[in-house]
Every structure is written in structure tokens, then in C-alpha cells.
Amino acid sequence: MHSLLFLIGLAFIGISCGGERGPLKNKKEKTVETIDALGALPKYVTDPPGNKSTPEKIRLGKLLFFDPILSGNKDVSCATCHQPEFNYAEFLETSIGVNGHGTGSKRKFSEKNDIPFVKRNSQSIVNTAFNGIKNGESYDAETAPMFWDLRAKGLEEQALIPVRTLEEMRGHSYPEDKVIDQIVARIQKVPAYKSLFREAFREDANPVNVVNLTKAIASYERTLIANNSRFDQYMRGDSSALTTGEKEGLNLFLKTGCAKCHSGPMLSDYKLHTLGVPDSQNRKETDAGANNDYAFRTPSLRNLRYTGPYMHSGKFATLEQVLQFYEDIAGGKIPNPNVKPSQIDTLAADMDVNFRDISRIVEFLNALNDDNFDKSVPERVPSGLPVSGL
């Protein structure tokens, strides 16, 4: 009798422990990715055929990137939300663009304000020159996927989308279909810019135009690369580049299923996935993503040390919180009440992240950091406006 009760007790304990991770699933045999699913970044950037890089284009693009002349109210630049000290991302959950002042955690809206927060977390521009790159496939810079919702292809196409967006750079001064023409006309009135455009685009009779504007900004952004992390060195053959703990973290990264989406040299498949990430409270409306199904693009895992907070809504302050979120998803917990269990991507639901492994995985992720990129800021910009904005 005692033996029977003992066995029943064991069975009950087993059921209870299993219940902590949600209902049991009929899982197929698990396939674990190998290190071949990852890769080192190339040592050199590929330019698109229609925009070969030159020092003149890069110089012009850098000045434009830091110049508030590109914004409707002349109060915000590309660099306002993509700051060199934060890996060309930003420290805020979601950014304050138009009608803001200050930088970093001190940035606030002006007292009288009718502009909303930027919709999503500011992604890093570093290494976007490699967006879309995959192992064993040719890389096309013109079709490189951009933004959390993949709404643009290539750095040239993405360059002016923030300028057209109300809360990012446009403001109320100009309608969306007129603002770019106004910006170009504004630049044409600055003698220093006219000279810089002529030097960068000598073949054009009228070089100050919207196409050349995008080419210059994209050329500068392609110089912002960090492609020699210790992980890159390890993948290129230096077995001593990673510590024992980082190698253990790498194995756990593969074992838990992270590499099913975070693959290739940029550790991203650049596909849309529905995960149930909680919304930012900075805006009243929920963010349902590109297709109204709460799917967002897999972000790169490079230089994460400098780019928190994380996810499209910026809701997770640390990498530990991100991994705990994946542990919860696999256990059936969905923090976004607008997302149904049936919508969750099976690749995320089938992950096997355990609390005991999180510190080791974070240790590996830190081996992907490389802060050897250009962080310099121009002393002045041709418009005479405050560098980077107010």
C-alpha cells in the first residue's frame, strides 16, 4: 500500500512540475541548429551598382545625417534618434522626434505638444549595410530589408521615410507629399551644400536633388560597420577568441532554438514573426505590425550591449528580460493581450529556454559586441543649425 501511494505521489509531482511550463505538447523530434547556421560578417561592404561609394558622398551624407535641416521644423536630425554613443540607436523605449529637446534619457517633449512618440524602438544603423545577408547566398544591397515591418528595401529607399513621417521628422509644417520637395529647396539655398553636392555628383548638371540626397545619406550609413567582434574572429578560425563560458553560451544558444530565427552573419533571418511582445505605453493605440497580425522583423543580435532597450516596443530593458520572455512564451504565457495563442510563431513556442541557461547565453551574446566604428560628430553643419538637433 505504501509503495502504491509513493508511485501515485511521484506521478502527481511529475504532472505538477510539467504544468509550470504550460500544457504538454505533442512535439515532433527536435532539430538543433549547428554553428554552420551562423557566420562571420564580411570584411567589406557591398555597394549597390547605382551608388558606388566615394569620399565626397560619405562626407556629404554625414553632414546631412547630423543636420536638422532635413526636418520640417528644423529641430530634429537623423542623429537625434540614432546617436553614436548608443550604437546609432537610442536609450529610450520609443523615440521623441519632432518637438522634443535634449538627448538620451533626458530627452523630453516641449511643454506645448501635440506630437506623439515615435511608433517603435529606434533600431541601430550600425551594420545595416549588411541587412539581409545570408550564408551561401549572393547579397543584394538594393533589396536589403529595412525597418521593423520591412516597409523599405535598401538604405537609399529607407533614408527619407523618417523625413516624411509626422512624429519622426516632418511635424505639422508640411504635408507628407510636399515635405521632401521643401527640404531639397531648403538645401539648395545653402551655398556650402551646393558645393558639396557638386563635388559628390560631378556628372549631374543639377546635383541637389532627392535621388542624390538619398545616395549621400546611404553612402555614409554604409561606413558604419562593426564586423570584427570576437565572435567574428572565432568564426574566421581563431578558437581562442571566445572564452569557455561564451562557447557554452553559444552551444546553449543553438540548443534552445534561438538560431532558428537568429541565423546567418547578422544573426537574423529578416522575416516577420508574431511573438506577443507587449505594447509600449507611450502611445494609446496598439501596434499590430505590418500585416495587422503583430508580426515584426527578427532584429540583429549584434552590438546588443549598446542598443537596449529591446524589441520593437522597447519594453525589455535587459537581455535577461528578453530571454525570460521567450521562456514564458514557450510556457504558454503571452504578455500582449491582443495576441492569441494560435498566432504565436511555432518557432518561438517550441523554444527551450531555461532560467539556468540565461546567464550563459547572455555571455555569448556579449561576444557579438564590437565598438570599433565611427562615433565622431561634426563640429558644425552647413545649415548653421545645432548639430543633431535641439
Side-chain angles (χ1 to χ4, degrees), residues 56-243:
E56 293 80 10
K57 286 183 189 177
I58 294 169
R59 180 189 177 198
L60 170 59
K62 183 171 185 175
L63 292 170
L64 289 166
F65 187 88
F66 286 91
D67 198 333
I69 197 171
L70 293 186
S71 63
N73 298 335
K74 301 181 181 179
D75 62 347
V76 59
S77 71
C78 303
T80 302
C81 301
H82 299 283
Q83 301 166 19
E85 63 266 41
F86 295 114
N87 199 76
Y88 288 86
E90 191 177 20
F91 186 69
L92 298 179
E93 185 175 293
T94 60
S95 298
I96 295 173
V98 175
N99 204 31
H101 57 87
T103 60
S105 60
K106 296 181 180 179
R107 186 163 177 79
K108 307 292 182 184
F109 279 115
S110 298
E111 189 171 334
K112 293 183 178 180
N113 178 62
D114 60 355
I115 298 290
F117 278 87
V118 173
K119 194 172 185 178
R120 294 169 187 148
N121 179 261
S122 176
Q123 288 190 310
S124 172
I125 291 175
V126 174
N127 285 331
T128 49
F130 298 120
N131 273 14
I133 191 169
K134 296 181 180 179
N135 288 331
E137 296 183 18
S138 58
Y139 170 61
D140 183 2
E142 290 182 316
T143 62
M146 299 288 163
F147 296 114
W148 283 106
D149 55 8
L150 305 178
R151 68 185 183 276
K153 293 181 179 180
L155 285 169
E156 285 76 10
E157 184 179 335
Q158 69 81 36
L160 296 185
I161 289 179
V163 178
R164 297 189 184 98
T165 304
L166 170 70
E167 64 269 33
E168 295 191 40
M169 298 180 73
R170 175 167 61 87
H172 293 299
S173 299
Y174 305 101
E176 185 176 353
D177 61 342
K178 301 292 185 183
V179 65
I180 299 299
D181 290 340
Q182 292 293 331
I183 298 300
V184 171
R186 191 185 284 174
I187 291 172
Q188 286 176 331
K189 296 178 182 178
V190 180
Y193 269 131
K194 291 180 70 174
S195 177
L196 288 165
F197 270 88
R198 281 197 300 268
E199 292 174 7
F201 302 98
R202 298 179 185 276
E203 68 281 5
D204 289 6
N206 299 298
V208 183
N209 59 59
V210 64
V211 173
N212 289 341
L213 182 61
T214 65
K215 287 182 176 181
I217 295 172
S219 293
Y220 167 62
E221 290 176 341
R222 285 195 178 93
T223 68
L224 302 175
I225 60 172
N227 56 351
N228 195 36
S229 68
R230 289 187 294 106
F231 172 73
D232 290 303
Q233 297 168 29
Y234 180 79
M235 293 300 290
R236 294 177 189 136
D238 182 359
S239 61
S240 65
L242 298 184
T243 66

Side-chain angles (χ1 to χ4, degrees), residues 24-45:
L24 296 176
K25 303 176 183 179
N26 294 322
K27 291 186 178 181
K28 297 179 181 179
E29 186 175 346
K30 185 177 179 181
T31 301
V32 177
E33 275 61 37
T34 68
I35 196 171
D36 292 335
L38 311 179
L41 282 173
K43 293 185 177 181
Y44 303 100
V45 168

